[in-house]
Amino acid sequence: MTLVISLLLVIGTLLIMIASLGVLRMPDLYTRMHAATKAGTVGLSTLLLAVALAIPDLTVLSRVVGTLLFIFLTAPVATHLLGKAMRHSGYPMWRNNKSSDNKSQRGG
């Protein structure tokens, strides 16, 4: 059981680290929100699952389930609404034009 808990903690930590790197490395707001929401939600859920397995108590389990439900319901909705508000305000979407520039330079 300790091995499973340790594995879940490592996976959750790595996913949250990937989410933070995605926020730093992605080119625009939309892709940053996507990286933070997807990897952050899954990373947090694996960390909470590890906590629920490490502390087998009904109060801890109920709080973990409540927190998971709250995160799974609110994070995607909040991200969607932020993206929609940014799109409505005219925030430009990032376009990768490198591939079309390379084709025109090669004559293709």
Side-chain angles (χ1 to χ4, degrees):
M1 191 60 133
T2 305
L3 181 64
V4 172
I5 293 169
S6 301
L7 189 63
L8 286 172
L9 288 172
V10 168
I11 290 171
T13 304
L14 286 175
L15 286 171
I16 289 177
M17 189 168 55
I18 289 169
S20 63
L21 287 175
V23 169
L24 292 175
R25 302 277 302 167
M26 294 294 172
D28 71 341
L29 177 74
Y30 302 112
T31 54
R32 288 177 186 162
M33 286 190 316
H34 178 77
T37 302
K38 300 300 178 195
T41 302
V42 175
L44 182 62
S45 65
T46 55
L47 289 175
L48 287 171
L49 185 60
V51 168
L53 291 175
I55 307 170
D57 188 24
L58 185 60
T59 58
V60 173
L61 182 64
S62 64
R63 289 178 188 200
V64 165
V65 168
T67 305
L68 280 174
L69 284 174
F70 180 76
I71 293 299
F72 274 116
L73 291 175
T74 59
V77 172
T79 302
H80 175 76
L81 290 175
L82 283 172
K84 192 173 180 180
M86 290 305 293
R87 183 80 172 153
H88 183 69
S89 70
Y91 188 86
M93 292 184 84
W94 177 73
R95 300 283 185 214
N96 185 4
N97 294 327
K98 290 181 182 179
S99 60
S100 63
D101 290 342
N102 290 340
K103 286 181 184 177
S104 63
Q105 290 175 356
R106 288 183 281 169

